[in-house]
Amino acid sequence: MFAYNPDKFASLFETELGQRIWAFLTHAENVARLETASQLSKPAVEGIEEQLLEEFREDVLADRVKQMVGHMVRQILEQRDWVLDQTDVKVQSVPFSKAARYRRPDWITFHAFRNTSDPRDVVITDRRQNAPLPTDARWSYYATFASPLKAAVAFGVRDIRQLRTHVHAHGFQRLRIERMLRRA
């Protein structure tokens, strides 16, 4: 099902522990967990950290083992058509402190900013640093998203390609986010 090229982890991969970790990571349930975390724009290993610790206990705490896990996860996800989005994403967990985040190749990363005096006034741009925001308000960083599902649910964006075209042409897209629920 999955092929692994251990490269610099060959000696560790050949051990019983390396073989057990590969079998664990390639189990269908764990692949689904890796993909679910990735769909939520989280580092993939966040989806398996509890199960990994339960299965391997302190054996997975060694830096070299964690590095091999990350190397394996990358190859698994790349074989499932995910691409590396960002490395060294901070993770508040055990056993990982930093991990890689993955995305689908057709996903586009956007950054949302809120008007500090009207939180329903939102600007979406493709840059977090030095973003070309409207000058008629003060803006604070709100969120980063890439998933078309998050774009649709959180910001009402139905056509992510149209959003990208508008942002590339004008530098940003300004939206009004209406309340989802009304007071009774």
Side-chain angles (χ1 to χ4, degrees):
M1 184 169 154
F2 291 101
Y4 179 57
N5 176 7
D7 196 26
K8 61 185 176 184
F9 297 99
S11 60
L12 181 55
F13 176 62
E14 291 171 4
T15 67
E16 178 196 350
L17 177 63
Q19 294 296 304
R20 285 180 49 226
I21 289 173
W22 179 248
F24 169 84
L25 291 174
T26 57
H27 192 271
E29 288 178 352
N30 292 323
V31 172
R33 288 181 177 111
L34 295 171
E35 290 188 313
T36 299
S38 298
Q39 287 170 338
L40 296 170
S41 299
K42 300 287 187 186
V45 295
E46 282 192 19
I48 59 160
E49 58 193 13
E50 289 291 324
Q51 294 78 13
L52 194 64
L53 285 170
E54 184 178 328
E55 182 73 22
F56 298 101
R57 319 268 324 151
E58 59 276 342
D59 290 342
V60 81
L61 297 178
D63 287 343
R64 188 82 175 144
V65 173
K66 291 187 287 187
Q67 291 168 356
M68 183 181 71
V69 167
H71 191 251
M72 290 175 166
V73 166
R74 181 174 183 168
Q75 290 187 31
I76 290 167
L77 290 177
E78 286 177 346
Q79 289 175 55
R80 302 275 298 174
D81 297 324
W82 291 86
V83 296
L84 182 65
D85 182 40
Q86 184 178 346
T87 59
D88 294 332
V89 177
K90 288 185 182 179
V91 179
Q92 301 295 326
S93 74
V94 172
F96 305 100
S97 59
K98 290 183 180 179
R101 185 175 63 219
Y102 299 86
R103 63 175 177 79
R104 290 290 188 194
D106 59 336
W107 287 6
I108 304 152
T109 301
F110 291 103
H111 305 279
F113 294 83
R114 279 185 172 166
N115 182 332
T116 57
S117 60
D118 180 3
R120 301 212 183 288
D121 186 16
V122 175
V123 170
I124 297 175
T125 183
D126 59 355
R127 285 185 267 159
R128 184 169 177 178
Q129 300 296 324
N130 302 316
L133 304 174
T135 58
D136 63 343
R138 287 194 51 208
W139 302 96
S140 65
Y141 171 76
Y142 175 51
T144 296
F145 64 94
S147 155
L149 179 62
K150 283 187 177 183
V153 173
F155 301 101
V157 174
R158 301 289 176 234
D159 187 341
I160 199 118
R161 295 203 190 303
Q162 184 180 27
L163 173 65
R164 179 167 86 179
T165 301
H166 188 87
V167 167
H168 279 40
H170 305 284
F172 63 87
Q173 172 75 48
R174 196 168 190 169
L175 306 169
R176 180 107 188 129
I177 309 298
E178 297 303 327
R179 289 179 65 132
M180 292 293 159
L181 300 173
R182 303 274 183 223
R183 282 192 256 178

